[in-house]
Amino acid sequence: MKALDTWERVLLALIVAVYVGFGAGIDGFLSPYAVADSTYNVSEKALIALAMALLVVAGEIDLSIAATMALASLAMGFAMKAGAPLPVMLAVAAVTGAACGALNGWLVTRWKLPSIVVTIGTLSLYRGLAQVVLGDQAITGYPETLSTWGNGSVGDVIGVPWLIVPIEFVVLLVAALAVGLFLHRTVHGRRLYAIGANPVASRFSGIAVDRYRFGLFVFAGLMAALAAVLLTGRIGSTRPNLAMGWELDAVTIVILGGVAIEGGRGSIVGTVLAAVLLGSFTFALGMLNVSGIVMSMIVGALLIGAMVLPRGVRHLRTRFA
């Protein structure tokens, strides 16, 4: 099966190794409730990683995606304080995310600026806006429904207590299926690979390269808004440091999942498996009381290793061929 080629098999083996290894050393790590809890460590980051994967396949990147989450959550919080009902709050978050993505896309496609430079700038802009507006305050008092979406299980919704699969994880699976079908089973997906491999040739072959790029940035903003809604519901508040540093985690998941940073290659299956691997690994470290800074160091090392390892393997194959 093409979706489970060599690298995806390696990721599957690593996931099994993490669960078996830590399961043998940590009491309760393999219990159904612990496994369900570990998916909370994955779902929101994986949602923004799906959008990031599409961008990287097309040769772009969005480093402002976590800051967009903070701004979408802030907008949702202000809508709540203004007395808006839940559907309006969600719409405000979605519009804010889409607007942030559209600004990134407009700067990249209209002014031909490198996406990495543009999104470093908008990262500071979006995060700074959230911090200036909120200061050291937090917005709380969200509706109970939002908390259920962020913390509840499918069993809570349908009245089957033993079904402890978190709602967030189901949302991730549905989103991954939709994005995977789009990328791997549609003409538009094949065009993204072509754009990432050679944008000039793609333009000459009649592909509307800038339109696709703009659409991908808007989609990234919408996925950031969706992740922000779930995260805000899970923690019950909007904070200026919400999802701080998650852009690094999203990039790590994408690269670890086998998506080539230079564009043109990669799969959604690999991205989801990398998210599960990273989430389960950091969840296990959390159960061992490993500090956050050490986890950040490990994520950084994984990012470097994920970029260096494939090049090292290709070098060895060339040398000994």
Side-chain angles (χ1 to χ4, degrees), residues 19 34-44 166 168-169 172 283:
Y19 277 101
V35 173
D37 276 348
S38 71
T39 65
Y40 289 108
N41 217 32
V42 173
S43 302
E44 296 130 0
E168 285 197 348
F169 192 62
L172 167 63
F283 180 76

Side-chain angles (χ1 to χ4, degrees), residues 1-12 257-258 266-267 269-270 273:
M1 185 178 177
K2 191 175 180 180
L4 285 174
D5 61 14
T6 304
W7 186 247
E8 281 77 9
R9 289 174 183 167
V10 171
L11 291 173
L12 272 175
S267 75
V269 173
L273 290 175

Side-chain angles (χ1 to χ4, degrees), residues 27-233:
D27 288 338
F29 183 71
L30 290 180
S31 70
Y33 289 99
V35 173
D37 276 348
S38 71
T39 65
Y40 289 108
N41 217 32
V42 173
S43 302
E44 296 130 0
K45 291 178 183 176
L47 283 172
I48 59 174
L50 290 175
M52 186 76 82
L54 294 183
L55 281 164
V56 175
V57 164
E60 303 294 340
I61 197 167
D62 184 356
L63 295 179
S64 68
I65 198 164
T68 300
M69 288 179 62
L71 212 53
S73 179
L74 176 67
M76 188 170 64
F78 275 117
M80 180 193 67
K81 292 176 71 175
L86 184 58
V88 175
M89 292 165 53
L90 301 181
V92 168
V95 169
T96 303
C100 291
L103 177 59
N104 289 333
W106 179 72
L107 290 169
V108 170
T109 58
R110 174 65 179 83
W111 300 99
K112 309 300 180 188
L113 299 172
S115 56
I116 190 170
V117 176
V118 166
T119 55
I120 285 174
T122 52
L123 181 160
S124 301
L125 174 64
Y126 301 158
R127 181 68 69 184
L129 277 172
Q131 291 178 330
V132 166
V133 172
L134 272 180
D136 58 354
Q137 304 297 312
I139 298 175
T140 58
Y142 284 101
E144 185 63 28
T145 302
L146 207 61
S147 176
T148 301
W149 292 349
N151 297 289
S153 67
V154 175
D156 296 333
V157 177
I158 63 175
V160 183
W162 58 266
L163 192 56
I164 58 173
V165 180
I167 294 172
E168 285 197 348
F169 192 62
V170 175
V171 172
L172 167 63
L173 293 180
V174 172
L177 180 62
V179 173
L181 289 175
F182 171 81
L183 182 62
H184 301 296
R185 289 290 184 268
T186 69
V187 174
H188 301 295
R190 288 194 289 276
R191 287 176 177 171
L192 293 188
Y193 284 112
I195 292 170
N198 193 328
V200 176
S202 300
R203 192 171 280 113
F204 278 112
S205 65
I207 298 175
V209 173
D210 286 344
R211 191 178 302 171
Y212 276 95
R213 285 173 168 165
F214 183 83
L216 290 178
F217 279 107
V218 173
F219 178 69
L222 288 170
M223 290 296 276
L226 174 60
V229 169
L230 294 175
L231 179 58
T232 303

